[in-house]
Amino acid sequence: MLDLAVRNTKKLIRETSKNENIRIGRFFTKREIARSLAGSFTFVSRYSVRLLDAGAGTGILAAAAVEAIAKSGGVTEIYLTCYENDPAYLPRLTDNLERVRKKARHDYHVKLRMTVLAEDFLTATHADDERYDYIITNPPQETAEGTYATLFPEVFPAGAPLACLFTWVAASLLAPDGQLITTLPLKTASAVSLIPFRRALFRIAAPERVFLYAREKETSPLRPVVTLKLKEGSAPEEVRLLVFPGEDTPATDDLPPLPYDAVVSSEDASLCLVHSGEELAALVRMRDLPCRFSTFGLRVRTGLVLESRYPELLRDAPVDGAVPLLHPRCLKDGMVQFPLPGVRRQYIIPRTAALSQPGKNILLMKRVPAKSDKRRLTCAVLLKNTVPAHFSTSNKLNYIDAEGDEQMDPGFLFGLFGFLSSAPVDAYIRLTSKSGQLNAKELARLPLPDAEHLRQIGGRLMAMRSYKPDYCDKVVHEILGIG
């Protein structure tokens, strides 16, 4: 059945123009991925079941699910409902499902009763008794706009992914003990803005399996989607994490089942996405650290100046009224180097108070790592006595400082630098950050050691006057036992 749907879909792609082929070809689920996903359903012996594909496309996932249910041997009738409002897909969807219907009857003696609704799944009216035993969907991944952007405001912020809205509506249609397989943008796993969505979703249906997609390279971020298999009702004791190692290969299950609390955070319902036991151990050790920046009264902020907004205020030299403007390139070997020879626009005239900040002991960090950076987080210490009374920071930096007039003492500050520059933090960020850009909200949630251990790390670094990442790794390992 699945093979029939895949072959028919490839015809559609070939019949489309070359440019259109590039546009639509990536939207269809690959054969072995579809088979692995549908095969992850837990099947029950029942005369009839109800199956939904929300946003069915050409019916690849629906075909995979029908095939898996029919092969399970415990079902005689399948009531399949498919929502699809793209007229380009509807003829192929109908043709594929008719082929699947005949195959199910001939090979498995299963009656497939189909309903294709040419409607928008999100805005369609769903009857009170519309409930499904199995739901499978690969919804659109783009950002919700227009009418969609205002749906379910109590759960979704502005700019939420459409896939989250599809998943939310689908979960509300699950029958008791019903199962849902859905693909979401990777950022859904930990985005701070989507905490209400994750909490609300997992109260309805909790994750039983998490499917990941292999990195293109060892050091690159994860593929930008994650697939969840959820079950209506209370949370399970364990969760399986599986990895698709290639574009069209079956999922591997090298990791043992993990405790539910190890995969789903009780704090914010974020997901632990790991590919190996070593990654899991590193993540758990980091999560066990007791503190956050707020524990110490510290704040994580974004640099003050978006330079393209104030070109008339930028200066190449320290003229009267100008203050230093620190850029990411000023961060060198753990310290701030300023001024940089031959670099233009290193000063700004702060026309308003919001364009400068008082000199304090702070920690600066690049928001976007450069390709040459060894770590995703590049930090540098700025000591109050090395800058004028006021200075400014580029919007391409984040910085950490104490509230009000409070100051971080140098030992604590260097300890914070050493810890954030270390390999365990780099690994944690690679596992949990879903984009190449590190925003202040993500940084604010980083786990940290207590103040005593941070000062021990800082004291060692200051004594040796060595701030390279490799030395930070050594000191953090010796003092904290991680890394």
Side-chain angles (χ1 to χ4, degrees):
M1 302 178 204
L2 175 58
D3 292 342
L4 290 172
V6 169
R7 284 199 298 269
N8 218 13
T9 300
K10 287 181 177 178
K11 290 180 184 178
L12 173 65
I13 295 174
R14 287 195 297 270
E15 290 166 3
T16 318
S17 69
K18 184 176 181 181
N19 289 339
E20 187 73 2
N21 179 27
I22 294 172
R23 186 181 73 82
I24 71 170
R26 68 179 185 272
F27 295 135
F28 300 115
T29 308
K30 301 295 185 182
R31 182 198 322 259
E32 293 305 323
I33 290 177
R35 184 165 281 136
S36 289
L37 295 180
S40 71
F41 281 130
T42 302
F43 301 107
V44 295
S45 182
R46 189 181 302 169
Y47 179 80
S48 68
V49 295
R50 299 189 67 184
L51 169 65
L52 168 67
D53 187 345
T58 61
I60 289 175
L61 284 175
V66 170
E67 180 181 86
I69 295 170
K71 283 184 175 180
S72 71
V75 174
T76 303
E77 285 186 334
I78 302 172
Y79 289 85
L80 169 64
T81 301
C82 289
Y83 284 84
E84 180 52 61
N85 65 344
D86 191 328
Y89 299 156
L90 282 168
R92 201 71 59 166
L93 171 61
T94 304
D95 184 39
N96 279 341
L97 294 183
E98 180 60 26
R99 292 167 186 254
V100 169
R101 185 190 67 79
K102 293 177 180 178
K103 189 78 170 171
R105 183 63 181 265
H106 181 272
D107 291 359
Y108 300 101
H109 307 292
V110 171
K111 294 179 182 179
L112 178 61
R113 306 189 186 280
M114 306 171 304
T115 302
V116 176
L117 300 173
E119 300 179 46
D120 187 326
F121 176 69
L122 291 181
T123 57
T125 300
H126 300 284
D128 292 339
D129 63 348
E130 185 180 352
R131 293 291 182 269
Y132 299 93
D133 303 293
Y134 304 103
I135 302 176
I136 191 166
T137 180
N138 180 14
Q141 302 296 309
E142 61 262 26
T143 298
E145 298 177 345
T147 304
Y148 298 131
T150 59
L151 293 175
F152 319 113
E154 71 281 5
V155 177
F156 295 102
L162 264 177
C164 294
L165 274 68
F166 267 78
T167 299
W168 178 247
V169 176
S172 71
L173 300 176
L174 284 170
D177 294 326
Q179 300 167 63
L180 165 63
I181 293 173
T182 181
T183 297
L184 298 167
L186 192 61
K187 68 178 182 180
T188 307
S190 65
V192 174
S193 62
L194 291 173
I195 290 176
F197 163 65
R198 291 194 300 270
R199 286 175 174 163
L201 175 65
F202 296 163
R203 280 195 293 267
I204 298 173
E208 288 191 328
R209 295 194 178 199
V210 179
F211 294 88
L212 304 174
Y213 299 81
R215 298 178 174 91
E216 294 179 3
K217 298 178 182 178
E218 182 64 28
T219 58
S220 66
L222 301 176
R223 289 273 296 281
V225 294
V226 59
T227 299
L228 305 181
K229 188 250 178 164
L230 307 110
K231 185 177 181 181
E232 192 276 341
S234 58
E237 292 184 1
E238 295 180 328
V239 181
R240 296 300 303 264
L241 275 78
L242 302 97
V243 179
F244 289 109
E247 273 210 353
D248 196 12
T249 55
T252 61
D253 57 351
D254 297 334
L255 281 171
L258 303 173
Y260 183 84
D261 290 343
V263 178
V264 183
S265 168
S266 58
E267 181 181 357
D268 60 6
S270 61
L271 297 172
C272 161
L273 304 181
V274 296
H275 285 66
S276 66
E278 290 80 5
E279 287 186 347
L280 175 65
L283 196 62
V284 169
R285 286 196 295 269
M286 280 290 297
R287 281 184 169 176
D288 285 344
L289 294 174
C291 300
R292 301 292 185 272
F293 288 111
S294 58
T295 309
F296 308 114
L298 303 178
R299 51 193 181 175
V300 183
R301 297 190 172 185
T302 300
L304 307 180
V305 177
L306 186 60
E307 290 135 278
S308 59
R309 288 187 182 178
Y310 307 102
E312 75 282 3
L313 302 180
L314 301 177
R315 298 291 185 270
D316 296 337
V319 298
D320 288 344
V323 300
L325 174 59
L326 303 182
H327 295 266
R329 53 182 171 249
C330 295
L331 279 55
K332 301 275 188 181
D333 298 324
M335 300 298 289
V336 173
Q337 296 186 13
F338 187 90
L340 296 172
V343 176
R344 299 182 59 217
R345 299 184 172 186
Q346 293 190 77
Y347 298 86
I348 185 170
I349 297 176
R351 183 175 58 192
T352 66
L355 294 179
S356 70
Q357 56 200 93
K360 294 178 69 176
N361 291 343
I362 66 173
L363 188 69
L364 295 163
M365 295 170 287
K366 292 184 183 179
R367 286 183 62 195
V368 181
K371 290 183 178 180
S372 58
D373 291 336
K374 293 182 179 180
R375 302 278 159 91
R376 290 287 299 279
L377 198 57
T378 300
C379 307
V381 169
L382 180 68
L383 296 173
K384 178 181 180 180
N385 59 6
T386 63
V387 291
H390 285 81
F391 66 100
S392 191
T393 44
S394 165
N395 184 257
K396 295 178 182 178
L397 292 170
N398 288 312
Y399 66 92
I400 298 167
D401 71 351
E403 294 281 0
D405 295 329
E406 297 295 320
Q407 287 272 19
M408 287 185 280
D409 61 84
F412 180 90
L413 177 59
F414 276 95
L416 200 58
F417 160 80
F419 176 73
L420 295 179
S421 301
S422 69
V425 174
D426 184 65
Y428 182 85
I429 289 173
R430 291 181 190 277
L431 289 170
T432 60
S433 176
K434 308 306 179 274
S435 71
Q437 181 169 310
L438 302 174
N439 61 56
K441 286 185 177 179
E442 283 185 316
L443 288 169
R445 301 176 72 83
L446 278 176
L448 301 173
D450 58 40
E452 180 181 351
H453 285 105
L454 285 173
R455 288 192 175 92
Q456 289 178 24
I457 294 170
R460 290 278 297 277
L461 293 175
M462 293 171 70
M464 298 299 297
R465 296 187 180 181
S466 179
Y467 310 117
K468 293 183 179 179
D470 290 348
Y471 193 73
C472 293
D473 295 347
K474 180 181 178 183
V475 173
V476 167
H477 178 67
E478 290 176 356
I479 291 176
L480 298 178
I482 60 175

